[in-house]
Amino acid sequence: MLQLRRVLRLSWAGQRWHHCAAAEVKNEPILEFKHGSPERAALQKALQDLKGKTEEIPCVVGGEEVWTKDVRYQLSPFNHSHKVAKYCYADKELLNKAINAALSARKEWDLRPVEDRAQIFFKAADLLSGPRRAEILAKTMIGQGKTVIQAEIDAAAELIDFFRFNAKYALQLQHEQLISVPISTNSMVYRGLEGFVAAVSPFNFTAIGGNLAGAPALMGNVVLWKPSDTAMLSNYAVYKILQESGLPPNIIQFVPADGPVFGDTVTSSEHLSGINFTGSVPTFKRLWKQVSENLERYRTFPRLAGECGGKNFHFVHKSADVESAVNGAIRSAFEYSGQKCSACSRLYAPDSLWPQIKARLLEEHGKIKVGNPADDFSAFTSAVIDEKAFRRIQGWIKHAQESPSLTILAGGKCDNSAGYFVEPTIIESKDPKDKILSEEIFGPVLTVYVYPENKYKEVLQLIDNTSPYALTGAEFAQDKNVVAEATAVLRNACGNFYINDKSTGAVVAQQPFGGSRASGTNDKPGGPHYILRWTSPQVIKETHVPLNEWSYPYMQ
Ligand code: NAD
């Protein structure tokens, strides 16, 4: 009977797998939101629905909503008088409860066929693509200060792609099998990790939160997801969509918490099997250190995946197409107020082209509108995420004002009266080693270093050596020999390298993302290898013939 049930279950799952394989997974199209389009009308309605509203967000532990007394608020970055979410922090005790609840669900979830698990993510992607698209976009725009296009490429397109492509890769992986011979059959079983995975997400991409928690869950893991304080509204919507798509209770525990409290609690559990982190270097280093200090207590070696910051460069050669270099710099440095880990924040321009580049940069800079992206769709960018970010970026502008080697060419004004607004700022540095060219700012600040055009080889070395990061970089050049030379010299300077294109805008399955050095463990979310981090394969050999003797023929 048990066997029959198993066969039935497998054949049912098998049918659905055929269904998925037939529907080929493609990148989600980016909608245009033109005047009169249905997507624009739906988005405007969703934005209207959020006006003045404060959503109450619980912790979800053990399949139940838990409202603790430690209440916090998420503010809209461009209108900080609007509390977009009221949420509460889980304390150490509740986090430990979440760990136990997750562990209680692990075995059954891990034994579910991958086809079943994949279906949940295909369904969530369909909801995001259709009926829930406007809601997730509006929540990302109002909560995280994104414009229409920035919300669309993140909370719709990228998140949908993460869910669909990861599911597709997981299904393909299962079919990646070992060699069997007539006397024995070998198989690879892709198990989840034994224990729980802690997913810690940043504020700047709704999609990243969904992927950090979702990818391990897809692979049979149970997860504690700690969203960022400043992305709570959109992240909770993602969580609800996963639940509505059939994610059983207890597979992902939704636990807003103080960062260090969460980090301290998960790293001190003997059951920690992995950390899936995206955020800043100091936070990731702290977590890594805690894991190493607690190494003796773990039942398995925790997998540590961390995608961190960047100090991304654009290298412009004298053979470059100036318009591409200028427009690429504007988009990469200033879209989403430079709050992308891939944002260009240092530009190296040859002296021969600089007058032309500078004039065009300043001309285009003058056209940039910074504003309220929900009320005014013509705003190109908006406020930075919160007061802390505002003060930090203001500190960098002050540094530029006070340093003799730095000149502010455009922007530089900051105003936090209604929202956390920082003007897109262009700075020229005469000193290639100033800290403004090596440290991450994570704001709308672009620094240019002008080099003698015949010294470009030295400049390539300089780019490679200036910063501890190695996330993204771009070169603008038409000379094919220079393209090849720069590609070779900058081989380790970034994990995503662009030729005649800007350093931002990686697309799932087209440009899987991540960098090395201080930028992280480079596990390339969005690519086929990523899910391998969240499985601990078991190999099973089954022999079909009896073993009749123990000695070997040559011994006789
Ligand atoms: P952050 O490090 O401040 O926070 C990230 C997350 O870690 C948040 O959820 C935060 O609450 C949590 N946290 C803080 N202290 C913690 C602790 N001690 N233990 C456990 N969790 C803790 O980063 P952020 O400001 O949210 O994000 C910006 C950073 O993320 C930038 O450096 C950016 O470059 C990086 N980033 C990188 C990528 C990438 O793919 N490489 C993508 C997005 C963002």
Side-chain angles (χ1 to χ4, degrees):
M1 184 61 200
L2 200 75
Q3 236 181 357
L4 178 69
R5 227 185 283 148
R6 195 175 135 72
V7 170
L8 280 176
R9 202 176 60 174
L10 283 176
S11 61
W12 181 60
Q15 270 174 19
R16 295 205 293 181
W17 150 244
H18 288 305
H19 165 75
C20 304
E24 207 189 303
V25 174
K26 294 203 178 84
N27 287 114
E28 175 72 6
I30 313 273
L31 302 183
E32 290 188 302
F33 298 89
K34 283 188 181 150
H35 276 285
S37 63
E39 68 267 18
R40 188 180 176 108
L43 177 59
Q44 279 172 328
K45 179 173 182 310
L47 288 166
Q48 192 58 36
D49 289 348
L50 293 177
K51 275 252 159 83
K53 299 264 169 58
T54 304
E55 184 168 328
E56 303 213 344
I57 296 177
C59 300
V60 185
V61 173
E64 284 176 9
E65 294 184 357
V66 183
W67 305 87
T68 73
K69 292 211 174 68
D70 194 352
V71 170
R72 312 276 159 147
Y73 292 92
Q74 179 190 351
L75 311 180
S76 179
F78 51 85
N79 172 15
H80 47 51
S81 64
H82 180 192
K83 294 174 174 153
V84 298
K86 176 183 178 186
Y87 60 96
C88 52
Y89 270 171
D91 62 7
K92 191 169 176 218
E93 201 187 329
L94 187 58
L95 290 168
N96 279 318
K97 222 172 141 183
I99 293 174
N100 290 333
L103 293 173
S104 71
R106 190 189 74 76
K107 284 192 181 150
E108 199 188 329
W109 178 243
D110 183 37
L111 283 172
R112 287 261 298 257
V114 65
E115 289 85 354
D116 278 13
R117 296 196 303 261
Q119 283 308 316
I120 296 167
F121 290 88
F122 282 128
K123 169 109 193 271
D126 289 348
L127 287 178
L128 285 160
S129 170
R132 306 299 283 279
R133 194 180 198 114
E135 175 200 342
I136 197 78
L137 295 183
K139 287 183 169 173
T140 300
M141 288 172 69
I142 293 208
Q144 287 139 266
K146 294 206 170 188
T147 58
V148 175
I149 182 67
Q150 292 305 310
E152 168 72 2
I153 60 169
D154 163 19
E158 185 170 49
L159 183 54
I160 293 165
D161 284 351
F162 272 140
F163 284 170
R164 288 193 181 137
F165 278 96
N166 283 340
K168 171 186 146 139
Y169 294 143
L171 292 168
Q172 282 175 344
L173 184 63
Q174 185 180 241
H175 288 257
E176 204 58 51
Q177 279 301 338
L178 306 168
I179 295 171
S180 290
V181 292
I183 58 163
S184 61
T185 308
N186 299 307
S187 55
M188 183 87 97
V189 179
Y190 294 95
R191 306 172 300 180
L193 311 180
E194 195 180 10
F196 73 95
V197 172
V200 183
S201 54
F203 77 85
N204 65 339
F205 275 83
T206 303
I208 293 179
N211 188 48
L212 292 181
L218 168 73
M219 297 308 289
N221 296 278
V222 289
V223 180
L224 260 66
W225 176 12
K226 195 210 88 57
S228 164
D229 291 355
T230 42
M232 208 54 79
L233 185 66
S234 66
N235 283 202
Y236 188 57
V238 173
Y239 183 65
K240 298 274 279 186
I241 288 170
L242 282 170
Q243 284 179 320
E244 284 166 39
S245 307
L247 187 77
N250 283 326
I251 306 309
I252 300 179
Q253 316 280 328
F254 187 80
V255 277
D258 173 62
V261 169
F262 181 85
D264 295 355
T265 310
V266 296
T267 54
S268 49
S269 167
E270 62 178 311
H271 299 289
L272 180 71
S273 61
I275 296 180
N276 202 8
F277 174 83
T278 298
S280 64
V281 175
T283 310
F284 189 48
K285 282 191 174 168
R286 183 186 153 119
L287 287 166
W288 193 299
K289 274 186 200 143
Q290 286 180 309
V291 167
S292 60
E293 278 156 16
N294 290 330
L295 213 48
E296 293 306 326
R297 66 171 77 172
Y298 301 129
R299 295 157 72 97
T300 188
F301 288 100
R303 301 256 169 105
L304 304 179
E307 304 301 331
C308 303
K311 188 70 189 176
N312 313 299
F313 60 84
H314 280 191
F315 163 70
V316 183
H317 182 252
K318 66 177 179 184
S319 67
D321 171 57
V322 169
E323 283 308 292
S324 301
V326 168
N327 292 320
I330 297 268
R331 279 197 173 174
S332 179
F334 301 136
E335 274 184 324
Y336 194 36
S337 302
Q339 299 172 110
K340 296 186 186 186
C341 43
S342 54
C344 170
S345 69
R346 46 187 179 130
L347 185 142
Y348 296 82
D351 53 4
S352 52
L353 287 186
W354 177 232
Q356 210 183 332
I357 293 176
K358 181 177 168 183
R360 290 287 300 117
L361 266 180
L362 297 184
E363 190 183 343
E364 293 309 311
H365 178 274
K367 298 180 193 163
I368 295 176
K369 192 166 178 187
V370 185
N372 174 331
D375 289 347
D376 179 2
F377 281 10
S378 68
F380 176 69
T381 176
S382 183
V384 299
I385 193 71
D386 60 11
E387 179 76 28
K388 200 170 135 215
F390 178 84
R391 298 259 169 242
R392 190 189 63 239
I393 301 160
Q394 207 176 26
W396 278 105
I397 292 171
K398 192 155 174 277
H399 167 69
Q401 285 160 341
E402 289 169 355
S403 305
S405 56
L406 301 177
T407 311
I408 297 180
L409 303 178
K413 287 200 203 77
C414 304
D415 178 0
N416 62 349
S417 50
Y420 309 108
F421 287 99
V422 178
E423 258 188 344
T425 302
I426 303 173
I427 293 167
E428 184 180 347
S429 177
K430 296 277 178 219
D431 175 5
K433 291 285 181 186
D434 189 283
K435 67 177 182 177
I436 206 163
L437 283 160
S438 65
E439 293 179 22
E440 187 180 47
I441 299 173
F442 219 56
V445 180
L446 172 70
T447 303
V448 184
Y449 176 68
V450 181
Y451 67 88
E453 70 162 35
N454 59 351
K455 290 268 167 63
Y456 80 88
K457 286 176 199 279
E458 287 88 333
V459 165
L460 291 175
Q461 298 293 344
L462 179 74
I463 291 171
D464 189 33
N465 298 330
T466 298
S467 154
Y469 296 102
L471 193 52
T472 72
E475 61 166 315
F476 290 82
Q478 298 300 320
D479 182 328
K480 292 289 172 211
N481 292 330
V482 173
V483 168
E485 193 179 355
T487 307
V489 176
L490 299 169
R491 186 172 166 86
N492 293 307
C494 54
N496 284 62
F497 190 51
Y498 295 83
I499 298 166
N500 293 318
D501 203 345
K502 64 187 171 53
S503 63
T504 54
V507 173
V508 170
Q510 293 189 32
Q511 299 95 21
F513 191 77
S516 57
R517 296 187 185 160
S519 293
T521 51
N522 197 14
D523 291 296
K524 289 283 185 269
H529 314 112
Y530 180 66
I531 52 167
L532 285 170
R533 289 291 269 158
W534 309 112
T535 178
S536 175
Q538 181 187 45
V539 170
I540 301 179
K541 175 187 178 190
E542 182 180 359
T543 291
H544 310 300
V545 292
L547 186 59
N548 292 328
E549 57 180 320
W550 59 266
S551 69
Y552 294 95
Y554 73 89
M555 293 163 70
Q556 273 131 40

